[in-house]
């Protein structure tokens, strides 16, 4: 006997049927996008807000809605969410898009050629495309090639038949990334509507968790005071994502103990085992692929070395080795420098300067983080 009714409803990528406290924003997005179901128009919208405010899940819910509506009206429509944090170059972005639309990754083609293939396909199939460019801010702030932001909205210049077929959602934590774009690219983004998601208040988190618990657990397994307790803890550590992780872990412990309900002690135990940085829980799947590879290299070096710190150069050469293993081109030292500063700022690693050297370390045992990271790198590369 398990406490769960539907365990997978607690996993990060699950898209629940309802989104309590985001009904207004969903309705607004539907209003922006409804015209694409009946007219030849492309819509461009920013969806932005702090971490964990439901940007990804909201857009994916919109994606389901649009695909359903299109089907009812005999319109061919595809929704694709691409996480740009994981795509180091336009080549990777286009390759993912091509894989999702055509079913082949377009190996050996240039991004422009891949886009032409995609355009051919959607014109031939008389199809509309809604592309959510998720974590576009990470992509731009890490100074990756902004060409995709130029290519996608101007697709009709490549092929007139593509006009009105591709709509875009730009998902980001804030709109700061726009200041990094050149005039021409900004121009193409020009008339873009914006939906801002505010941070959830604690009562809202409780409502959302009650709903998620109802879906995932059997009735009365998680009493209201445990939901409140979980909301309270998660509020300062990473929000709903953290809360769902606590609930999933606590339910698993309850099952292993043969307990018929989730207890405060189960929650506490999971809470204590989750690696945290200065900004709350840390999730390697939030990092770009190269930051993940770098972090892995740092951990490998610290493990082998046994001392609290390693030098930047040691980390860099191991990072190069990791890239080779992963079939990725290593980035320049200057970029890695910036990544190290980012990783330090978000609490993944410690950094200190010693004479001319930069020393890197980690302050907590990293078994769990290491395992998660290995899994995440696999998943990231498969996406
Ligand atoms: N209103 C809601 N109802 C139900 N679940 C929600 C709601 N808002 C967020 N969630 C859940 O909370 C978690 C975080 O949401 P999501 O990943 O969409 O946030 P985000 O804004 O994209 O965060 P990030 O900036 O880190 O990418 C997900 O598991 C999501 O399913
Ligand atoms: Mg997201």
């Amino acid at each position: 006997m398990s406490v769960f009714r539907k365990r997978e409803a607690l996993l990060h990528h699950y898209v629940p049927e309802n989104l309590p406290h985001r009904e207004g924003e969903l309705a607004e997005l539907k209003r922006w996008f409804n015209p694409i179901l009946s007219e030849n128009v492309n819509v461009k919208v920013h969806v932005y807000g702090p971490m964990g405010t439901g940007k990804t899940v909201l857009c994916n819910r919109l994606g389901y809605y649009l695909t359903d509506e299109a089907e009812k009206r005999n319109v061919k429509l595809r929704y694709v969410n691409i996480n740009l944090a994981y795509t180091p170059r336009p080549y990777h972005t286009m390759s993912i898009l091509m894989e999702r639309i055509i079913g082949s990754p377009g190996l050996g083609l240039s991004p422009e050629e891949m886009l032409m293939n995609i355009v051919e396909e959607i014109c031939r199939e008389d199809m509309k495309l809604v592309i959510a460019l998720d974590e576009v801010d990470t992509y731009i702030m890490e100074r990756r090639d902004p060409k995709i932001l130029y290519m996608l909205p101007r697709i009709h210049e490549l092929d007139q038949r593509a006009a009105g077929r591709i709509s875009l959602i730009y998902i980001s934590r804030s709109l700061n990334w726009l200041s990094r774009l050149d005039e021409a690219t900004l121009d193409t983004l020009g008339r873009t509507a914006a939906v801002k998601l505010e941070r959830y208040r604690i009562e809202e988190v409780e409502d959302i968790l009650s709903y998620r618990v109802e879906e995932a657990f059997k009735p009365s397994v998680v009493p209201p005071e445990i939901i409140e307790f979980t909301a309270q803890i998660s509020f300062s550590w990473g929000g709903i994502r953290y809360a769902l992780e606590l609930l999933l872990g606590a339910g698993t412990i309850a099952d292993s103990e043969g307990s018929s309900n989730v207890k405060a002690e189960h929650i506490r135990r999971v809470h204590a085992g989750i690696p945290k940085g200065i900004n709350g829980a840390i999730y390697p799947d939030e990092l770009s692929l190269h930051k993940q590879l770098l972090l892995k290299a740092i951990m490998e070096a610290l493990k082998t070395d046994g001392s609290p710190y390693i030098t930047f150069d040691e980390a860099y050469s191991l990072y190069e080795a990791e890239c080779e293993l992963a079939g990725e081109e290593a980035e320049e030292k200057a970029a890695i420098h910036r990544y190290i500063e980012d990783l330090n700022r978000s609490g993944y690693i410690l950094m200190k300067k010693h004479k001319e050297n930069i020393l890197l370390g980690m302050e907590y045992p990293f078994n769990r983080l290491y395992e998660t990271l290995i899994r995440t790198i696999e998943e990231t590369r498969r996406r």
Side-chain angles (χ1 to χ4, degrees), residues 59-70:
C59 294
N60 290 347
R61 184 41 51 219
L62 174 78
Y64 281 118
Y65 162 80
L66 290 173
T67 343
D68 285 352
E69 284 301 305

Side-chain angles (χ1 to χ4, degrees), residues 73-299:
R73 299 170 198 215
N74 258 333
V75 173
K76 281 193 191 160
L77 183 148
R78 294 280 290 279
Y79 165 86
V80 183
N81 177 309
I82 304 182
N83 192 325
L84 294 190
Y86 301 157
T87 61
R89 271 177 281 281
Y91 171 84
H92 303 90
T93 317
M94 289 303 167
S95 173
I96 291 180
L97 194 57
M98 195 165 149
E99 169 103 60
R100 304 261 177 91
I101 304 299
I102 306 184
S104 114
L107 298 175
L109 298 181
S110 71
E112 289 78 7
E113 287 166 333
M114 289 192 241
L115 189 57
M116 281 314 293
N117 274 310
I118 296 163
V119 167
E120 271 299 320
E121 175 79 4
I122 59 176
C123 293
R124 188 170 51 237
E125 293 284 321
D126 190 19
M127 191 195 289
K128 304 245 173 159
L129 211 55
V130 178
I131 309 173
L133 297 171
D134 210 337
E135 305 196 21
V136 55
D137 48 341
T138 306
Y139 185 94
I140 296 299
M141 296 314 249
E142 289 191 1
R143 304 187 202 182
R144 304 189 185 285
D145 188 347
K147 180 160 79 175
I148 35 169
L149 299 181
Y150 191 78
M151 287 164 75
L152 288 170
R154 288 175 167 257
I155 208 157
H156 53 276
E157 292 176 5
L158 282 174
D159 189 330
Q160 252 310 312
R161 294 172 306 154
R165 288 197 183 276
I166 299 197
S167 291
L168 294 164
I169 308 177
Y170 304 98
I171 307 179
S172 62
R173 287 196 179 158
S174 87
L175 294 180
N176 293 344
W177 60 280
L178 291 172
S179 64
R180 284 284 178 88
L181 302 178
D182 60 42
E183 287 289 319
T185 313
L186 262 181
D187 248 19
T188 56
L189 301 185
R191 299 152 291 100
T192 305
V195 176
K196 179 171 187 223
L197 304 190
E198 300 290 346
R199 258 182 236 286
Y200 292 118
R201 290 178 290 113
I202 181 102
E203 312 83 61
E204 294 176 326
V205 174
E206 283 177 25
D207 284 347
I208 294 168
L209 289 185
S210 303
Y211 169 66
R212 302 293 303 253
V213 159
E214 203 181 300
E215 243 193 322
F217 288 92
K218 290 182 183 149
S220 11
V221 161
V222 190
E225 66 271 19
I226 296 291
I227 295 180
E228 239 179 83
F229 180 56
T230 311
Q232 183 91 50
I233 298 177
S234 71
F235 204 67
S236 38
W237 288 110
I240 300 168
R241 178 175 186 172
Y242 193 77
L244 297 179
E245 199 175 351
L246 290 179
L247 289 165
L248 180 65
T252 310
I253 298 179
D255 273 357
S256 74
E257 288 183 348
S259 166
S260 56
N261 48 31
V262 170
K263 301 187 164 62
E265 179 55 20
H266 301 149
I267 298 283
R268 284 186 207 109
R269 265 155 60 191
V270 187
H271 177 43
I274 298 178
K276 302 179 184 66
I278 37 174
N279 299 326
I282 49 182
Y283 294 105
D285 65 357
E286 291 195 334
L287 302 173
S288 62
L289 178 59
H290 280 257
K291 278 187 183 157
Q292 293 177 18
L293 293 170
L294 174 63
L295 189 60
K296 177 162 179 251
I298 294 172
M299 284 196 224

